Amino acid sequence: MTRYESLALETEQRIRDGLLRAGERLPSVRKACHSLRLSPSTVLKAYYLLESRGLIEVRPQSGYYVKARLSRPLPEPEMTRPPATSTALEVSDFIFEILESVKDPAVVPLGSSFPSPFLFPLARLGRFLAAAARHMDPLATVTDLPPGNEELRRQIALRYIAHGGALSPDEIVITSGAMEALNLCLQALTRPGDLVVVESPSFYAGLQAIERLGLRVVEIPTHPRDGISLPALAEALQRHPVKACLLMANFQNPLGSLMPEAHRRELVALLARHQVPLVEDDTYAELYFGKEAPLALKSLDRQGLVLHVSSFSKSLAPGYRIGWVAAGRYARAVQRLKLATSLATTVPVQIALADFMRQGAFDTHLRRLRGALELQEADMAAAVERHFPPGTRMTRPRGGYFSWVELPAGSDALALHRAALARGISIAPGPIFSAKREYGHCIRLNFGHPWSAPLEQAMATLGQLAAEAPSAPA
């Protein structure tokens, strides 16, 4: 993040928090330069950015003032209420139909599951990959079979330590992306017909994996800010023979929720009492806003029941397809399944990522990426406030790159998806995140792309379509 973007973000946050109120004057350029030790051009660029976002206005011969807001910030959605029954899934065809649109580069990717590839150091990574391919030890084709490259597993283990956890590299299994890790975990823990607990709404790819394995789900109410309802989960564990849980504590997809630390401890203790293993999908944990990384559930696990899944796809290397699972007591079973299914993960890519991390380049990149995503989240929220119809609610996540938008009652997200796609805009409609196709009036929006005039226009068009969209069928 540049100095002017950082100043703009800090000022914007003060405006949204009410510390700077409508009509109040901002420090003059000269005063801001003196107090913050910035150049005039840096302060002016920050003020121009805030002005372009509609947050401040210039008054001739007077200075910059906080602009009067047309409305208060949108409220967040409330706790979800899925039906309290187990469900056999039939979601894959429906999801594939919806997601086919996001592959077209001409479509505005508000429904995409990926951030902009231009946010990642792909050219620099390419140099590491070329060097790894040139200098690879021929024996690595054997020694780096599952569980995977030793140095990469060591670097990953060091990040667990830096984030408050501690585990041995021996329990880490390198996989071909997080999705393979999720599939391997579910295969190690369940048999066809078993019950798996998921949040509601839940990431559609997890639902697809559960469907493919012939499993059934119990959907648990989930709060858009605090995550899964622990009382509802405790009741489900009492009522149903649950074999595993698939949950996201950090920046849950699609809600963006972040579970409070006290809830995390209670969740891990609850599952330990019932001896139910937890597959923790933590692919967005590195994308936190603020100074401190959120705590992984894995770091609280003392019984080896948490299988912690993550990858580099969302934080460093999209397209490289390198993920992993720290599988606790199930590490050997997961490793054997990996060998039996895909045998190994590409060796030169593992070596390249290990070298990149060892040189400290990962953290430098992450600081820039987090700053960019935080700015883009604020841009997305402001655009929804400007353009969407009255009665809209939305989440304000503190990490990741998804916002969950609840449209006015009776809205039809699928009709909106079709209308938006006809205008060259993709969105992710709520029903793809539910085993029972709930959330017909909700959509997930991706703020993982740098804000631009085309994005602003797409949001204006989407807001207009949302206001005009027909009601969902009864």
Side-chain angles (χ1 to χ4, degrees):
M1 192 188 310
T2 63
R3 299 286 295 279
Y4 84 87
E5 288 176 325
S6 179
L7 175 58
L9 180 61
E10 292 171 4
T11 306
E12 179 170 345
Q13 197 60 52
R14 293 189 184 107
I15 293 171
R16 295 191 182 281
D17 290 343
L19 297 176
L20 289 172
R21 297 179 178 176
E24 289 187 341
R25 188 174 186 267
L26 270 64
S28 67
V29 173
R30 178 181 297 178
K31 186 174 181 180
C33 290
H34 177 74
S35 63
L36 300 174
R37 298 184 180 180
L38 298 173
S39 68
S41 65
T42 298
V43 176
L44 280 170
K45 287 173 75 174
Y47 284 1
Y48 293 157
L49 184 58
L50 290 166
E51 187 178 13
S52 71
R53 293 174 178 164
L55 294 170
I56 67 174
E57 60 186 352
V58 62
R59 298 179 185 176
Q61 323 238 317
S62 181
Y64 288 92
Y65 290 79
V66 178
K67 196 172 183 180
R69 303 296 297 278
L70 295 177
S71 61
R72 299 176 63 186
L74 296 176
E76 68 181 8
E78 298 177 350
M79 180 78 79
T80 64
R81 303 292 179 190
T85 56
S86 64
T87 308
L89 285 94
E90 295 181 2
V91 295
S92 282
D93 288 343
F94 182 54
I95 291 170
F96 287 133
E97 175 187 338
I98 297 295
L99 297 182
E100 189 68 26
S101 62
V102 305
K103 294 163 59 176
D104 185 349
V107 173
V108 180
L110 297 175
S112 171
S113 292
F114 307 99
S116 169
F118 300 104
L119 295 174
F120 299 94
L122 298 181
R124 189 176 183 191
L125 277 171
R127 292 192 289 272
F128 279 85
L129 183 57
R134 284 197 304 270
H135 304 301
M136 187 179 78
D137 182 347
L139 291 177
T141 57
V142 177
T143 60
D144 288 357
L145 288 172
N149 178 266
E150 182 178 3
E151 179 59 21
L152 180 58
R153 290 184 291 116
R154 188 179 77 87
Q155 290 294 329
I156 292 170
L158 288 173
R159 295 199 72 78
Y160 280 99
I161 294 172
H163 291 172
L167 54 82
S168 167
D170 293 339
E171 75 166 275
I172 296 173
V173 180
I174 304 299
T175 61
S176 300
M179 275 313 303
E180 183 183 41
L182 287 177
N183 276 279
L184 294 175
C185 291
L186 290 171
Q187 289 178 66
L189 299 173
T190 64
R191 296 293 179 267
D194 283 348
L195 279 177
V196 176
V197 157
V198 297
E199 297 134 321
S200 182
S202 183
F203 181 38
Y204 56 76
L207 295 177
Q208 286 178 301
I210 290 169
E211 178 185 1
R212 186 183 66 80
L213 294 172
L215 306 174
R216 298 160 64 223
V217 297
V218 178
E219 296 181 287
I220 305 296
T222 305
H223 194 278
R225 184 180 61 251
D226 298 334
I228 192 168
S229 166
L230 296 182
L233 174 59
E235 182 180 352
L237 293 174
Q238 290 285 355
R239 293 179 55 190
H240 301 287
V242 174
K243 296 299 183 181
C245 296
L246 173 57
L247 306 176
M248 300 179 74
N250 296 321
F251 319 122
Q252 192 258 7
N253 181 1
L255 293 177
S257 58
L258 179 65
M259 187 180 292
E261 184 172 334
H263 289 199
R264 294 166 191 260
R265 297 183 183 278
E266 187 178 346
L267 170 61
V268 173
L270 172 65
L271 295 178
R273 287 196 299 273
H274 288 270
Q275 288 295 291
V276 173
L278 165 65
V279 182
E280 179 184 8
D281 182 353
D282 206 16
T283 48
Y284 306 99
E286 295 281 12
L287 306 183
Y288 58 90
F289 305 157
K291 296 181 179 179
E292 292 189 10
L295 196 65
L297 298 172
K298 178 68 177 178
S299 65
L300 303 172
D301 178 31
R302 300 295 177 265
Q303 299 190 24
L305 282 168
V306 177
L307 298 84
H308 185 266
V309 170
S310 193
S311 83
F312 295 105
S313 296
K314 307 300 191 296
S315 60
L316 176 62
Y320 279 45
R321 304 307 305 153
I322 297 293
W324 70 89
V325 52
R329 66 169 76 167
Y330 305 98
R332 185 171 178 82
V334 170
Q335 180 179 334
R336 288 184 169 184
L337 283 167
K338 168 67 178 174
L339 280 164
T341 52
S342 60
L343 184 61
T345 301
T346 308
V347 173
V349 178
Q350 293 186 63
I351 296 171
L353 290 174
D355 290 343
F356 189 88
M357 295 175 74
R358 186 170 55 242
Q359 293 192 19
F362 191 25
D363 284 308
T364 301
H365 155 70
L366 283 173
R367 283 191 290 271
R368 289 194 293 264
L369 178 60
R370 293 176 192 132
L373 291 175
E374 188 169 9
L375 282 169
Q376 290 160 204
E377 189 280 331
D379 287 328
M380 174 70 75
V384 172
E385 289 179 19
R386 282 194 297 273
H387 300 303
F388 276 55
T392 298
R393 295 172 174 262
M394 75 176 301
T395 58
R396 295 299 308 271
R398 298 303 302 152
Y401 50 90
F402 296 122
S403 291
W404 182 252
V405 178
E406 183 181 292
L407 301 170
S411 298
D412 187 342
L414 292 175
L416 179 59
H417 156 73
R418 290 189 290 269
L421 194 58
R423 302 286 289 273
I425 304 165
S426 77
I427 59 173
I432 69 174
F433 301 99
S434 168
K436 295 184 173 70
R437 302 191 185 184
E438 302 284 328
Y439 312 110
H441 64 304
C442 298
I443 60 175
R444 188 199 68 185
L445 297 178
N446 180 325
F447 58 82
H449 296 258
W451 207 252
S452 62
L455 267 179
E456 178 67 30
Q457 182 56 54
M459 290 297 293
T461 301
L462 190 59
Q464 180 182 3
L465 292 173
E468 299 170 352
S471 299

